[in-house]
Tab-separated table of all heavy atoms in Angstrom:
chain	number	residue	atom	x	y	z
A	1028	PHE	N	24.615	36.609	-21.107
A	1028	PHE	CA	24.877	35.474	-21.998
A	1028	PHE	C	24.486	34.245	-21.182
A	1028	PHE	O	25.264	33.827	-20.318
A	1028	PHE	CB	26.352	35.422	-22.377
A	1028	PHE	CG	26.827	36.675	-23.093
A	1028	PHE	CD1	27.505	37.657	-22.383
A	1028	PHE	CD2	26.577	36.865	-24.442
A	1028	PHE	CE1	27.950	38.813	-23.027
A	1028	PHE	CE2	27.026	38.018	-25.079
A	1028	PHE	CZ	27.693	38.974	-24.375
A	1031	VAL	N	25.692	34.240	-17.596
A	1031	VAL	CA	26.856	35.143	-17.445
A	1031	VAL	C	26.440	36.590	-17.673
A	1031	VAL	O	25.763	36.908	-18.635
A	1031	VAL	CB	27.967	34.768	-18.449
A	1031	VAL	CG1	29.137	35.736	-18.384
A	1031	VAL	CG2	28.416	33.331	-18.235
A	1032	ILE	N	26.865	37.459	-16.753
A	1032	ILE	CA	26.576	38.881	-16.916
A	1032	ILE	C	27.580	39.486	-17.880
A	1032	ILE	O	28.797	39.406	-17.646
A	1032	ILE	CB	26.674	39.625	-15.564
A	1032	ILE	CG1	25.651	39.082	-14.586
A	1032	ILE	CG2	26.496	41.134	-15.760
A	1032	ILE	CD1	25.816	39.645	-13.175
A	1033	GLY	N	27.094	40.040	-18.973
A	1033	GLY	CA	27.956	40.838	-19.855
A	1033	GLY	C	28.072	42.235	-19.280
A	1033	GLY	O	29.156	42.668	-18.884
A	1034	VAL	N	26.936	42.933	-19.233
A	1034	VAL	CA	26.852	44.222	-18.533
A	1034	VAL	C	25.487	44.351	-17.874
A	1034	VAL	O	24.519	43.715	-18.278
A	1034	VAL	CB	27.051	45.429	-19.469
A	1034	VAL	CG1	28.469	45.498	-19.994
A	1034	VAL	CG2	26.057	45.444	-20.619
A	1051	GLY	N	38.167	49.929	-18.404
A	1051	GLY	CA	38.083	48.925	-17.342
A	1051	GLY	C	38.920	47.727	-17.683
A	1051	GLY	O	39.385	47.594	-18.832
A	1052	PRO	N	39.159	46.830	-16.710
A	1052	PRO	CA	39.980	45.658	-16.970
A	1052	PRO	C	39.306	44.694	-17.940
A	1052	PRO	O	38.100	44.794	-18.176
A	1052	PRO	CB	40.149	45.031	-15.579
A	1052	PRO	CG	39.024	45.576	-14.770
A	1052	PRO	CD	38.650	46.893	-15.340
A	1053	SER	N	40.074	43.781	-18.462
A	1053	SER	CA	39.555	42.768	-19.378
A	1053	SER	C	38.365	42.050	-18.758
A	1053	SER	O	38.390	41.691	-17.592
A	1053	SER	CB	40.695	41.791	-19.685
A	1053	SER	OG	40.233	40.771	-20.507
A	1054	GLY	N	37.299	41.878	-19.543
A	1054	GLY	CA	36.142	41.145	-19.073
A	1054	GLY	C	35.098	41.989	-18.374
A	1054	GLY	O	34.088	41.471	-17.897
A	1055	CYS	N	35.297	43.311	-18.318
A	1055	CYS	CA	34.366	44.153	-17.569
A	1055	CYS	C	33.135	44.549	-18.402
A	1055	CYS	O	32.211	45.170	-17.874
A	1055	CYS	CB	35.049	45.399	-17.018
A	1055	CYS	SG	35.445	46.624	-18.314
A	1056	GLY	N	33.118	44.208	-19.687
A	1056	GLY	CA	31.898	44.455	-20.494
A	1056	GLY	C	32.023	45.583	-21.517
A	1056	GLY	O	31.019	46.009	-22.079
A	1057	LYS	N	33.225	46.049	-21.792
A	1057	LYS	CA	33.417	47.168	-22.732
A	1057	LYS	C	32.964	46.773	-24.148
A	1057	LYS	O	32.195	47.471	-24.784
A	1057	LYS	CB	34.903	47.589	-22.784
A	1057	LYS	CG	35.474	47.919	-21.407
A	1057	LYS	CD	36.937	48.356	-21.491
A	1057	LYS	CE	37.893	47.275	-21.962
A	1057	LYS	NZ	38.098	46.174	-20.992
A	1058	THR	N	33.508	45.635	-24.627
A	1058	THR	CA	33.186	45.201	-25.992
A	1058	THR	C	31.711	44.871	-26.124
A	1058	THR	O	31.069	45.224	-27.119
A	1058	THR	CB	34.057	43.997	-26.388
A	1058	THR	OG1	35.430	44.412	-26.403
A	1058	THR	CG2	33.697	43.447	-27.746
A	1059	THR	N	31.164	44.223	-25.107
A	1059	THR	CA	29.734	43.880	-25.133
A	1059	THR	C	28.890	45.152	-25.323
A	1059	THR	O	27.945	45.176	-26.135
A	1059	THR	CB	29.346	43.188	-23.803
A	1059	THR	OG1	30.137	41.996	-23.672
A	1059	THR	CG2	27.868	42.831	-23.775
A	1060	THR	N	29.251	46.210	-24.602
A	1060	THR	CA	28.491	47.468	-24.685
A	1060	THR	C	28.634	48.077	-26.086
A	1060	THR	O	27.650	48.509	-26.700
A	1060	THR	CB	28.975	48.455	-23.614
A	1060	THR	OG1	29.015	47.779	-22.362
A	1060	THR	CG2	28.047	49.657	-23.506
A	1068	TYR	N	25.082	42.870	-31.081
A	1068	TYR	CA	24.303	42.195	-30.009
A	1068	TYR	C	23.078	43.031	-29.745
A	1068	TYR	O	23.133	44.250	-29.831
A	1068	TYR	CB	25.086	42.176	-28.674
A	1068	TYR	CG	26.277	41.279	-28.579
A	1068	TYR	CD1	27.261	41.564	-27.635
A	1068	TYR	CD2	26.450	40.157	-29.377
A	1068	TYR	CE1	28.394	40.766	-27.492
A	1068	TYR	CE2	27.567	39.350	-29.250
A	1068	TYR	CZ	28.533	39.655	-28.316
A	1068	TYR	OH	29.644	38.877	-28.184
A	1173	ASP	N	37.398	49.812	-30.825
A	1173	ASP	CA	37.589	48.833	-29.750
A	1173	ASP	C	39.071	48.488	-29.604
A	1173	ASP	O	39.622	47.740	-30.407
A	1173	ASP	CB	36.784	47.564	-30.064
A	1173	ASP	CG	36.674	46.663	-28.841
A	1173	ASP	OD1	37.367	46.919	-27.836
A	1173	ASP	OD2	35.872	45.710	-28.904
A	1174	GLU	N	39.722	49.058	-28.622
A	1174	GLU	CA	41.149	48.837	-28.340
A	1174	GLU	C	41.998	48.933	-29.627
A	1174	GLU	O	42.780	48.031	-29.921
A	1174	GLU	CB	41.354	47.452	-27.680
A	1174	GLU	CG	40.387	47.201	-26.535
A	1174	GLU	CD	41.054	46.863	-25.205
A	1174	GLU	OE1	42.273	47.014	-25.094
A	1174	GLU	OE2	40.318	46.492	-24.286
A	1205	VAL	N	37.151	52.286	-26.726
A	1205	VAL	CA	37.276	51.263	-25.701
A	1205	VAL	C	38.757	50.995	-25.397
A	1205	VAL	O	39.538	50.813	-26.329
A	1205	VAL	CB	36.600	49.949	-26.139
A	1205	VAL	CG1	37.068	48.773	-25.304
A	1205	VAL	CG2	35.091	50.080	-26.090
A	1222	MET	N	34.360	50.935	-15.760
A	1222	MET	CA	33.523	49.747	-15.559
A	1222	MET	C	34.287	48.647	-14.827
A	1222	MET	O	35.515	48.545	-14.922
A	1222	MET	CB	33.091	49.175	-16.928
A	1222	MET	CG	32.400	50.201	-17.794
A	1222	MET	SD	32.197	49.607	-19.501
A	1222	MET	CE	30.885	48.381	-19.265
B	1519	ADP	N1	29.537	35.916	-26.866
B	1519	ADP	C1	29.695	35.714	-25.543
B	1519	ADP	N2	29.226	34.599	-24.934
B	1519	ADP	C2	29.357	34.400	-23.619
B	1519	ADP	N3	29.916	35.266	-22.785
B	1519	ADP	C3	30.403	36.420	-23.297
B	1519	ADP	C4	30.310	36.701	-24.714
B	1519	ADP	N4	30.883	37.909	-24.937
B	1519	ADP	C5	31.300	38.362	-23.752
B	1519	ADP	N5	30.994	37.470	-22.768
B	1519	ADP	C6	31.303	37.643	-21.318
B	1519	ADP	O1	30.833	38.908	-20.935
B	1519	ADP	C7	31.748	39.558	-20.081
B	1519	ADP	C8	32.217	40.863	-20.676
B	1519	ADP	O2	33.003	40.602	-21.803
B	1519	ADP	P1	33.571	41.706	-22.778
B	1519	ADP	O3	32.484	42.677	-23.107
B	1519	ADP	O4	34.233	41.046	-23.930
B	1519	ADP	O5	34.684	42.419	-21.866
B	1519	ADP	P2	35.849	43.451	-22.253
B	1519	ADP	O6	35.635	43.895	-23.650
B	1519	ADP	O7	35.697	44.555	-21.244
B	1519	ADP	O8	37.133	42.724	-22.049
B	1519	ADP	C9	32.871	38.551	-19.830
B	1519	ADP	O9	32.585	37.836	-18.661
B	1519	ADP	C10	32.790	37.650	-21.061
B	1519	ADP	O10	33.281	36.374	-20.766
Side-chain angles (χ1 to χ4, degrees):
F1028 301 99
V1031 176
I1032 298 173
V1034 292
S1053 177
C1055 73
K1057 305 181 295 291
T1058 295
T1059 300
T1060 311
Y1068 289 157
D1173 194 349
E1174 312 236 11
V1205 163
M1222 306 169 73

